[in-house]
Amino acid sequence: MEWWKERAFYQIYPRSFMDGNGDGIGDIKGIISKLDYLKWLGIGAVWLCPVYASPNADMGYDISDYEAIMEEFGSMEDFDLLLKEMHKRDIKLIMDLVVNHSSDEHRWFREARKRKDNPYRDFYIWREGKEGREPNNWSSFFTPSAWSYDETTGEWYLHLFSEKQPDLNWENPSLRKEIFAMINRWLDRGVDGFRMDVISLIAKDQTFPDAPGEGYQMDPTLFSFRLQMHQYLKEMRNTCFRGRDCMCVGETTFVNTTNAPLVVGDGTELDLLFQFDLMDIDGGISKWDLRDFDLARFKQIICRWQQAIPWNTLFWGNHDQPRAVSRFGDDTSFLLWNRSAKTLAAAMYLLKGTPFIYQGEEIGMTNYPFKSKDELRDVESLNLLKHATRDEKGKAWKGILAKGRDNARTPMQWNEENNAGFTTGTPWIAVNPNYMHINVEDEQSEEWSILSFYRQLLSLRASEKTILEGDFVLLLPEHPHIFAYERTTQDSRICVYCNLSGEEEKLELPEKGQILIKEAYEDGILQPWGCLITKQNAENSG
Ligand code: TEU
Ligand code: CA
């Protein structure tokens, strides 16, 4: 089995993981100091969020030099040491690859905006305005219009994210050549692969038509999953990845079960992809339209994806999402916080696929109780407030509390010391005040902790062939509160029952089953947010 199927991944958001030099910002030295912890937890690979040079308009997702390390994070020597220390512990490292756009401070863009005939002009997407306005009505993820006007040359450039993140022009073969060469240099350095940021958006409709509707609009068909995207991914595969023992996982924004198999089906494009159906489950047209979690819908999504592609990514969150336990579990009491975080883990990470655990999730870190705008750091939230009309402000703030990305970006909580042991200085973003009872050190020593449960779950996954390879079947499909499934091979059958509600539920033990893990299950009752994992071997099941 490929290593990227077998191993569990851990996502590190370096700015908030561990500060090694006391300046309040997480860094590479800090990460190195915590590698033994990751090993202890049972992690086999790390996805490292961007550590490249960046003015941090979007916290590293705006890269000004793809081949330099952000000074705040350390040096290239530090990076090489990190890689070496990880490999020494048999932990693989995949980097974030952000090539849909660069920073406007990248050398290419600084050249491009000088003159229309600059050799780098065509590395970006420039158009003339229409009657003094934008070339079309496209909106961006972070700003009302996806176009910004550039005085010097009198044209507009496209940015699907902030105005400091101009989109790269993938139609241009010279751009592709530069990107592929850069990827190859990182692979030669020894990294084990990439997580590709919004890679589904790299090809745009070259006629740049208006999107249907009034005002600024987003029509994903005009800039995602286009024919050329498949072409570019194949070209990248052939030029960079073929013949190397590495992997790539795409952040395939707007993927669905119909187009997913084209990207991960035959190994000519990507190995894995992130889909966002689950992350969208509590949103409306926009993520800020808050909607309740619906278990029936959840089951549908899981089943649909387990069937659609041979291998899924399994995750409850990332640096763009609020904290899983606050969002999908119950963080209102200590007991339910503890149980629901564990049960969410059991519900997700024994499915067929590769776990991606976001830093802090394994100790049950929660959303942050933001009180004012000054506490926010994220361009998405700040722009949302900036562009909200007076009437929209209340909804925007509610949205930010529930879904703002800064919720997941507060510092990792290591111990009970100042700033949760993250830094001896002043942290760049506030530490969650609950670190006195939610932190790694305390949880490492408690058998009943969320952290101990994650460790146990990962070790179970690694040791049970049935969990790695078995078929997936949904159990109790109609149950209103329990999410249950089985994984089966010829040798054994493993069943997972998760009570994803605050109600008590009757649950008979399946005959002759051996209990592998139980949490709040007693006398045929699955308590609120409890879970039960059983195993039957083929000999005694028949
Ligand atoms: O996110 C891509 C993306 O689609 C986001 O706009 C997502 O919809 C949003 O974060 C949800 O609130 C990636 C990165 O993960 C994100 O951190 C970057 O800001 C973005 O690309 C631009 O690089
Ligand atoms: Ca630091």
Side-chain angles (χ1 to χ4, degrees), residues 66 97-102 168 170 175 179 182-183 197 199 202 236:
Y66 289 102
L97 183 74
V98 190
V99 290
N100 172 70
H101 45 269
S102 75
L168 289 161
W170 277 74
L175 177 271
I179 298 281
M182 176 272 287
I183 292 174
D197 193 65
I199 200 67
I202 56 177
M236 188 193 291

Side-chain angles (χ1 to χ4, degrees), residues 5-206:
K5 290 185 175 169
E6 208 158 18
R7 294 168 183 240
F9 280 70
Y10 188 88
Q11 184 193 347
I12 292 182
Y13 193 71
R15 204 172 191 78
S16 304
F17 190 60
M18 180 65 199
D19 178 14
N21 67 351
D23 67 352
I25 296 172
D27 48 44
I28 293 175
K29 284 212 171 73
I31 300 175
I32 296 175
S33 72
K34 296 299 182 185
L35 291 178
D36 288 335
Y37 164 68
L38 297 183
K39 190 71 197 173
W40 170 87
L41 179 59
I43 297 302
V46 164
W47 152 22
L48 183 62
C49 282
V51 292
Y52 315 96
S54 162
N56 286 310
D58 186 18
M59 296 304 162
Y61 284 91
D62 49 322
I63 296 170
S64 53
D65 185 344
Y66 289 102
E67 294 178 67
I69 298 294
M70 192 187 310
E71 277 174 30
E72 292 170 322
F73 290 171
S75 62
M76 196 55 92
E77 288 72 52
D78 294 334
F79 178 83
D80 286 336
L81 182 63
L82 172 68
L83 190 57
K84 201 172 124 207
E85 291 295 321
M86 291 183 69
H87 285 166
K88 207 159 94 189
R89 292 167 177 80
D90 190 27
I91 299 174
K92 305 269 189 186
L93 175 61
I94 71 166
M95 306 280 285
D96 224 304
L97 183 74
V98 190
V99 290
N100 172 70
H101 45 269
S102 75
S103 164
D104 65 339
E105 298 181 34
H106 193 288
R107 183 176 57 90
W108 297 338
F109 193 74
R110 285 194 275 117
E111 285 298 319
R113 75 194 316 176
K114 282 183 185 161
R115 296 161 60 104
K116 287 187 188 171
D117 62 0
N118 188 284
Y120 290 99
R121 182 72 172 180
D122 203 28
F123 271 38
Y124 296 87
I125 300 167
W126 298 92
R127 289 292 181 277
E128 278 174 14
K130 272 192 191 147
E131 292 144 27
R133 294 200 51 155
E134 299 89 357
N136 67 26
N137 69 349
W138 291 13
S139 70
S140 99
F141 288 90
F142 295 162
T143 55
S145 169
W147 298 93
S148 282
Y149 184 69
D150 195 57
E151 296 280 340
T152 319
T153 54
E155 284 189 334
W156 302 73
Y157 66 89
L158 181 78
H159 55 87
L160 292 179
F161 295 89
S162 82
E163 65 277 5
K164 285 188 65 66
Q165 294 164 291
D167 279 51
L168 289 161
N169 179 20
W170 277 74
E171 306 298 309
N172 180 351
S174 319
L175 177 271
R176 299 204 297 278
K177 206 171 142 209
E178 292 269 3
I179 298 281
F180 297 158
M182 176 272 287
I183 292 174
N184 273 322
R185 285 189 289 270
W186 279 106
L187 290 170
D188 292 342
R189 234 189 162 87
V191 309
D192 301 295
F194 296 93
R195 172 268 186 188
M196 300 183 181
D197 193 65
V198 285
I199 200 67
S200 49
L201 313 188
I202 56 177
K204 283 90 179 166
D205 184 330
Q206 291 302 299

Side-chain angles (χ1 to χ4, degrees), residues 372-389:
S372 87
K373 185 172 149 255
D374 308 336
E375 294 172 310
L376 299 175
R377 298 287 178 272
D378 176 23
V379 60
E380 183 188 43
S381 296
L382 292 168
N383 277 5
L384 181 74
L385 287 175
K386 184 163 111 192
H387 297 294
T389 62

Side-chain angles (χ1 to χ4, degrees), residues 316 336-349 450 453-454 457 481 483 485 496-501 519-520 526-532:
W316 277 117
L336 295 180
W337 159 76
N338 178 279
R339 270 193 208 159
S340 64
K342 293 174 182 172
T343 293
L344 288 175
M348 182 62 71
Y349 299 128
I450 296 167
F453 188 90
Y454 264 78
L457 208 63
H481 294 143
F483 170 58
Y485 58 96
V496 182
Y497 301 89
C498 300
N499 185 353
L500 299 184
S501 83
E519 184 65 34
L526 198 53
Q527 298 288 331
W529 291 106
C531 68
L532 175 70

